Structure formats: structure tokens, C-alpha cells
Amino acid sequence: MTRAGVSYFGVRILRHVRRDLQDIAARGYNGVLHTFSENDLAYYRGTMADIVAASHELGLEVQMCPWGLGRTFGGEAESRWVTFHPEACQVLDDGRPVATGCLNQPAYRAFCKDWADAALEAGTDYVFWDEPHWTVPAHVGIDDPARWACCCDVCRELAGGVPTPAFRESSLVDFLREMTDHVAARGGKNTICLLPLTEGTHGIADWDAVASLPHLDVFATDPYWKNFGEAAGSFVGRLSTLLADTAGRQGVVPQLWLPSFGLTRDDVPDLEAAVEAARAAGIEDLWTWGYEACAHMTHLATPDAALVWEVVTKALTGGVDLRDLDLRPTTALVRLINAEDSTVSDAVAGATAEIATAIDAIVARLEAGGRLVYAGAGTSGRIAAADAAECGPTFSTDLISAVTTELEAEEDDPELARLDAGADDVVLGVSASGRTPYTLGAIERAKEAGALTIGLACVRDSPLALTVDLAIEVDVGPEVIAGSTRMKAGTAQKLVLNTISTVAMVKLGKTFGNLMVDVQASNEKLRARARRAVAIATAAPEDEVAAAIAAAGGDAKVAIVSLLAGVDAQTARSRLSAARGVIREAVGNVVG
């Protein structure tokens, strides 16, 4: 079984989860593990089912683990069950009770089965029994590694006295047998991931005893070398060989988990060596914990998480290889492009401060009598021209215009960018690459005229960004179709220009709240829109709205001021003129 998977946790808002799952699938992963904590069990059962369904829609096979359940499984999640059931918790060898469910207590076993039922109801393909273990003293605040559990009354009775290491191991195997039998009886599949230990307080000496359980499907371990202070290559190699040999003897699938959390760029060679060692042992089912190298979790993240995520993804999946793009099914292509497009809004959001600074500078120039001129060639120019053209009828303004090319070949000539710009104007150059000669030529002419210059590029440190007064850089990364700037780059430019023109018009009083009150009512649709805007803004009866609009000659802003301030149309128009077209200022204290 060739499979690459990744764990995913911490997000329960479905639209955000969908975006991340699309990214996971687009990167070449075909499996995802969702954590299912006690908190999820109590409050997010339906949501978890939706998340599993969203995973399946993308072709991802799903595992679900009891994250931190009863504090007997892996994970940082806390347990509420142990608070409600202290009588079923473990007891240390020195008699101290600890907040960890006892694997031999009937009540705790029943709870784990209830959890498994919920995971199966959510639709998981595999129940992933993650690092089942007796309590770790340090995990419950006891700084004495010599202590061990469990010595509760149930364990003592089953052991016929003080539990021995052999009893503890056999109890753990018996617990896993009961859990896997329960899952299988309900039509589910099981994965067991053992700690990478064969000795000591938490080691399992006989891995065959676990791998031979009748209803086990996948046998896994997670040799996180840094956690154990071991050398990556030898540690992972030894555990991978043990895993592969044991799984082979028992006829189950071996699965190996590697860390991407907690690693820095200095650990990248170790990570690559670990993957190589696992593959050398014949393991083809490789997973990593976790998505984006857990960059979202302070405790597990490092400053190099983004780099580590790229490295582990390439090592496990081969990275995003699009050489077979033309051979892929239509549905897969739609998902791929959608996943890539979903990254654009984040890239634009990353330039929020630069966009806001540009808008404030533009508004200041427009208020002083200047204009905003877009300059661009090819796709960028057409996007800019479309935004400028829409601003006229939408906001009744001629303050925004565009200069662009007529022919594709013209973008190579910096001398063809003809623009009429003065010292009060703003010229905004748009170029996906940031090096289009036509656009750079327009910026040079604008600077000579004393205009404020702004550059919008979809890469970092471009010639355009280095030339202008204010730079907006939205790095969208490689396109699905190499070099096709009409895709992510075009979407980013559309979003940024829409934002700039819209917010600038809002700042100039072209709206009242979120109402389009300065629209050119040139057809019945727009006239109806103007009537609705006046009605909503004033809450006046329909007949009064109609009369006010008629008296205002169809000007929605004049009608609104007339109705809100209780003045005739001529006075309303004068007030608007004195207030530079801003309704709230024209009305005065009537509107807060």
C-alpha cells in the first residue's frame, strides 16, 4: 500500500477545514488523520462527521485518533472523563492516584468503546489507537520517573498481587484486543500505533502480540528521534525494520509516522535520512504529524515550520508534480485549481498594511483634486481597465481611469505608455511579474510628472516595487499552468484593485453605510436600486421616497439628505456640495 498521510487538528470551522483539506489533497497526500478529543466528543460530533465527509469528497482516506483520551493515548488534549471518574483512574506503585484512566477498569473500557462508536458514526475509515500506554508520571506532574502504574484494586485483583511488568504488557494487549474486536464488530478497521519502545516502563517487548490481534489492519509506530534523544537514521532505521518484519509475519500493513513538528532547518537532513531509512525497510505507508508542521500550535511550532512542511511533503508525496496535468480527470483538475485559488486571499491579506497605506495616500490626492490612473499591459492591464470602467457607473465618478496596451507585443515597449498625469495624481502600475517594460515606462513618466507612484506585483522585490513610492507585493506562488498570470496572479490583482477603488470611494463619501447611493441610474435596474437605497437609508414611506427622488432629478444622495434633514432638494444639493458629497456631513446631527 503506497500512501502518504498527515495529521490535522485544531480547526473546527468547516469552511477553513475544507480549504486546508484541498491543500492537503493538492499536495499529493491521500490520507488524513483527524484528532477526535473528548472535547470533540462532547461538543463537535456533528462537525467531525462533516469534516470526515469533506475529506472523503477529496479522495482522502481518513483515520481518527482518541487524542488525549483518558490521558492513556497520545496528544496534548486534556481529559474531562478522569475528573468525573476518579474511582476508575490509575494508582501509582506508591499508592498515589493519578488522573489517568485505568486500562483494566470496566468503566474506562466502556468509555473507550463509546468513543470508538462515535468515531465510526462520524465515518472514519480507520480507528487509530494512538500510543496506548500506562500513565507517564511527568504527564501528571510527578517528577519521579521511577514510579509506575497501575496498582489500583482492579489491577491488583487481576494480577493476584502487585502487578508485574509482564502483567502490565499483557493487560495493554488485552485492552487493545477488546477495542479492536469492538470496532471490527461494527464494520470498522483498526490501526494501532505503538510507542517506539521495546523495553522500560512503557515499552512493549513482544510486538507480535499486538500485530497478531485478529482484527488489526494496520500496525504503526512513530520513532520521533528528537523526543528520545536518538540519531535519526539509525533510530528510525531500527524501528522501521522491526515494524516491517513484525507486520510481515502477521500479515498486516506497516505504517510509519515521522515528525514535522518541532524541527528546524538544521533538522532537515535528519528528516530526509529518516524517510530514506523507512523506505529502505520497505515501508510505503508514511505519515507525518502534522499539517504545516504544526505551525499553528505554539508548543509544537518552530520559526522554520514552513520550510520543514515543504521538505516533508516533498519527501512523502514527491511534491506537486503537474507534468501529468493533461491526463487528470476533470474533477481532479477542478479541485486542484480551486485549492490553488484558495491561497490567493491569504496572500492578499498578507499585504493588508501596504494596501491600506496606498488607499489613504490615494484618497488624500483625490480629495485635493487629483486622479487615480491605472497602468498595465496584457492581462494586468485588462484587469485594471475593467476595474476603472466599473467605477464610473457604480460611483458616478471620472476620478479613476486606465492606460493599457492594445496589442500583446506593445507590453515590451516602455515608450508606448502614454499617460496624462500631474503632481496631484496617483499612477498605479500593475504587473504580475513586476518587470513589464510598458508598466515600468508608465511609472517613469509618472515620476517625471511628480505624481505619486504605486506598484502592484505578484512577486517579491521586483523592479516595479523598487521603482515606485509605495509597493504592494502579493506573492501568490507558482501557477497551475506555468506562466499563466490570468490565474492566481490575475485573481490577486482583481481583489486588490477592487479593494483599493471600493474603499477609496467609501472614504470619499460615495456610499452611505454599505448602500450604493452615488450610482448612475441609467436603466430600470439601477433606478430600482437607487429607490431601495433611499428607502433603506431614510425608512421613509414609498410615496415620499418617490417624490424625493423626483424632486432630486433622480439623484439618490440629494433625496436622502432631503428626507433625513427635512429640507427641499435645492437645499439638500447645496448641503452636499458644501460637505464634499458626504451625506453624513450634509445631514449634520440628524444621522449619528
Side-chain angles (χ1 to χ4, degrees):
M1 178 189 297
T2 300
R3 184 165 55 179
V6 61
S7 68
Y8 183 86
F9 63 95
V11 181
R12 295 297 178 254
I13 299 175
L14 189 59
R15 67 180 182 277
H16 299 315
V17 175
R18 285 185 183 278
R19 183 183 65 182
D20 292 341
L21 291 174
Q22 288 169 350
D23 180 49
I24 288 170
R27 288 174 177 271
Y29 290 96
N30 47 30
V32 62
L33 179 143
H34 292 297
T35 58
F36 192 20
S37 68
E38 292 185 35
N39 193 61
D40 293 321
L41 183 65
Y43 302 114
Y44 290 94
R45 287 181 66 158
T47 303
M48 294 307 299
D50 291 339
I51 289 173
V52 171
S55 304
H56 285 152
E57 288 170 10
L58 292 167
L60 295 169
E61 200 163 32
V62 176
Q63 302 199 84
M64 195 171 260
C65 77
W67 205 37
L69 200 77
R71 304 183 72 90
T72 61
F73 297 96
E76 290 79 12
E78 298 299 335
S79 172
R80 51 187 262 156
W81 190 89
V82 297
T83 302
F84 297 152
H85 300 86
E87 76 288 348
C89 286
Q90 295 182 37
V91 176
L92 295 179
D93 59 305
D94 61 5
R96 281 183 288 177
V98 291
T100 307
C102 174
L103 301 175
N104 282 322
Q105 288 277 354
Y108 185 58
R109 291 195 176 195
F111 173 60
C112 291
K113 291 177 185 177
D114 289 343
W115 173 88
D117 289 342
L120 293 169
E121 288 169 9
T124 188
D125 300 303
Y126 292 82
V127 174
F128 184 89
W129 301 102
D130 184 22
E131 298 181 344
H133 58 272
W134 294 98
T135 195
V136 177
H139 291 176
V140 288
I142 297 174
D143 188 20
D144 186 354
R147 301 276 68 81
W148 56 272
C150 173
C151 286
C152 71
D153 291 343
V154 170
C155 286
R156 284 178 175 273
E157 182 177 350
L158 291 173
V162 176
T164 63
F167 169 79
R168 286 156 44 83
E169 182 168 329
S170 66
S171 292
L172 179 55
V173 173
D174 182 68
F175 170 83
L176 292 171
R177 177 183 293 106
E178 187 170 331
M179 296 304 116
T180 53
D181 288 352
H182 179 83
V183 168
R186 284 152 178 75
K189 296 180 180 179
N190 290 284
T191 299
I192 294 176
C193 181
L194 292 184
L195 286 165
L197 296 169
T198 56
E199 55 188 22
T201 306
H202 301 289
I204 299 294
D206 186 3
W207 279 28
D208 282 283
V210 176
S212 63
L213 291 174
H215 293 117
L216 181 65
D217 300 281
V218 179
F219 187 45
T221 190
D222 48 5
Y224 299 163
W225 61 91
K226 288 188 73 172
N227 291 27
F228 292 91
E230 298 277 357
S234 58
F235 187 58
V236 174
R238 176 168 58 84
L239 270 298
S240 295
T241 300
L242 174 62
L243 177 70
D245 290 348
T246 306
R249 283 194 298 272
Q250 304 304 334
V252 293
V253 175
Q255 180 179 100
L256 193 85
W257 282 75
L258 296 167
S260 50
F261 67 88
L263 303 185
T264 68
R265 64 180 62 248
D266 293 337
D267 297 312
V268 165
D270 284 343
L271 177 59
E272 293 172 334
V275 174
E276 184 178 347
R279 295 201 191 282
I283 298 176
E284 298 181 341
D285 192 5
L286 295 176
W287 293 60
T288 186
W289 195 288
Y291 180 60
E292 293 188 342
C294 301
H296 62 286
M297 186 176 182
T298 304
H299 180 65
L300 298 179
T302 75
D304 300 323
L307 169 65
V308 173
W309 172 236
E310 294 298 330
V311 170
V312 76
T313 295
K314 184 176 182 180
L316 267 54
T317 72
V320 181
D321 186 350
L322 301 180
R323 287 175 294 181
D324 66 343
L325 187 72
D326 55 325
L327 303 177
R328 298 187 185 188
T330 302
T331 301
L333 292 174
V334 172
R335 285 174 175 162
L336 172 63
I337 291 175
N338 183 251
E340 289 293 306
D341 285 345
S342 69
T343 66
V344 175
S345 61
D346 283 344
V348 173
T352 295
E354 292 88 346
I355 295 170
T357 297
I359 291 172
D360 288 339
I362 290 168
V363 170
R365 294 286 177 122
L366 297 184
E367 287 180 331
R371 296 171 301 128
L372 171 60
V373 181
Y374 295 145
T379 297
S380 299
R382 288 187 285 272
I383 290 171
D387 189 75
E390 287 295 322
C391 288
T394 303
F395 299 111
S396 294
T397 184
D398 60 359
L399 296 176
I400 302 178
S401 61
V403 293
T404 185
T405 53
E406 296 292 334
L407 302 173
E408 293 299 312
E410 294 177 351
E411 70 178 57
D412 295 330
D413 191 342
E415 301 302 322
L416 291 179
R418 308 295 182 187
L419 53 82
D420 178 20
D424 292 332
D425 298 328
V426 181
V427 176
L428 196 163
V430 188
S431 169
S433 66
R435 59 176 183 269
T436 306
Y438 179 94
T439 307
L440 292 173
I443 292 298
E444 285 301 327
R445 286 172 179 74
K447 292 178 78 70
E448 291 170 1
L452 175 70
T453 57
I454 300 173
L456 169 57
C458 293
V459 293
R460 298 283 178 188
D461 302 321
S462 67
L464 177 62
L466 298 174
T467 302
V468 296
D469 298 310
L470 298 174
I472 301 171
E473 297 175 303
V474 182
D475 189 353
V476 297
E479 301 282 7
V480 172
I481 304 298
S484 180
T485 56
R486 59 180 287 273
M487 302 186 74
K488 290 193 295 184
T491 301
Q493 291 169 341
K494 171 70 171 168
L495 291 174
V496 173
L497 294 181
N498 272 0
T499 301
I500 288 173
S501 59
T502 300
V503 176
M505 292 299 104
V506 170
K507 292 288 187 178
L508 290 173
K510 295 290 186 177
T511 64
F512 184 55
N514 69 333
L515 298 174
M516 291 172 54
V517 294
D518 224 348
V519 65
Q520 292 179 358
S522 56
N523 58 37
E524 183 51 40
K525 178 188 74 173
L526 295 177
R527 285 190 286 272
R529 183 176 296 168
R531 289 194 296 271
R532 285 197 301 274
V534 175
I536 293 171
T538 64
E542 186 176 336
D543 57 341
E544 293 184 21
V545 168
I549 291 177
D555 190 321
K557 292 176 76 172
V558 171
I560 290 172
V561 173
S562 177
L563 289 169
L564 289 179
V567 299
D568 59 29
Q570 182 176 351
T571 302
R573 199 179 303 275
S574 297
R575 285 194 176 197
L576 273 169
S577 179
R580 307 176 315 284
V582 179
I583 290 176
R584 295 185 189 275
E585 293 185 21
V587 173
N589 294 330
V590 178
V591 180

